[in-house]
Amino acid sequence: MAITKYPRACSRNSAGNSKVFLTEISNITSVTYTSGEVSAITMNASTKFQEAGADIDSIQFTQEGAGGSSYGETQKIVMKASKKTAALIAFKNSIVDAAPCGLAVIRQDSNGNCFLSGWNSVDKNGRPYSKVEVAFDSGVAPTDEGMNSLTLTLSCMNGQDESPIDATLTASIVGETATFIDFN
């Protein structure tokens, strides 16, 4: 494979993510790629990606890769939710139950772009998020910042970067009209 050129972009860049959506990998029937971007996602009947109501400025995607003749990345999506409730416990338990079979994630970044991870174009549904880490800290005093919150971390090993979602599909996600997502 030849090295491709990459032009420098001179536009504002905002760090962080605004939303995250999750589904069990088995709910996805197909993902269509056009020019290296996801242009369609087809789901099994009556299944959808579910929006995770994470706290503002608590969603983080990281990837770390290494290799030589072969290459792999560890990808992680981290989110935090405040105030332990029955609904939060049920959400956490559903993620823990789904992890052994794998999860796919759509994240919406703070620049209005969307990306699909946990699925790749090479070995379809072969590298989903399958590891879950959970941390909860109640804090000690009512003034403890960032306490009484649950941090949920999903991770997977992948040989391919997350997939950018094309402008049309991104517009439907940002505009909350995508039919394959159950928005809050």
Side-chain angles (χ1 to χ4, degrees):
M1 177 175 173
I3 295 176
T4 63
K5 65 180 181 177
Y6 175 72
R8 181 173 168 230
C10 294
S11 60
R12 184 174 172 225
N13 179 34
S14 296
N17 302 283
S18 56
K19 292 184 179 182
V20 65
F21 310 94
L22 309 138
T23 194
E24 294 176 52
I25 202 76
S26 61
N27 291 339
I28 299 174
T29 303
S30 67
V31 175
T32 304
Y33 288 83
T34 305
S35 300
E37 296 180 320
V38 174
S39 56
I41 298 174
T42 306
M43 306 290 287
N44 289 328
S46 73
T47 63
K48 296 183 177 194
F49 277 82
Q50 300 297 313
E51 184 175 352
D55 290 352
I56 294 172
D57 297 331
S58 76
I59 302 167
Q60 179 184 30
F61 175 80
T62 62
Q63 62 188 46
E64 294 181 14
S69 59
S70 64
Y71 176 81
E73 304 185 334
T74 299
Q75 297 173 343
K76 291 185 179 182
I77 189 90
V78 181
M79 65 194 93
K80 187 180 277 191
S82 295
K83 298 181 184 172
K84 189 182 269 191
T85 63
L88 179 58
I89 293 168
F91 170 73
K92 179 214 35 146
N93 289 341
S94 71
I95 298 303
V96 169
D97 288 346
C101 290
L103 295 150
V105 172
I106 294 174
R107 74 174 176 92
Q108 179 181 326
D109 75 8
S110 296
N111 296 300
N113 299 310
C114 293
F115 300 87
L116 173 67
S117 58
W119 176 284
N120 70 52
S121 62
V122 176
D123 76 23
K124 298 174 191 164
N125 72 11
R127 298 289 186 258
Y129 289 93
S130 58
K131 183 177 178 188
V132 179
E133 297 172 49
V134 176
F136 179 81
D137 189 338
S138 69
V140 178
T143 54
D144 287 347
E145 289 291 326
M147 294 293 115
N148 201 24
S149 60
L150 179 117
T151 302
L152 181 69
T153 303
L154 300 172
S155 60
C156 68
M157 174 60 90
N158 211 328
Q160 185 176 342
D161 207 330
E162 62 181 340
S163 299
I165 297 176
D166 76 7
T168 302
L169 203 53
T170 290
S172 73
I173 295 168
V174 172
E176 297 188 356
T177 60
T179 58
F180 57 90
I181 295 178
D182 188 5
F183 296 95
N184 286 339

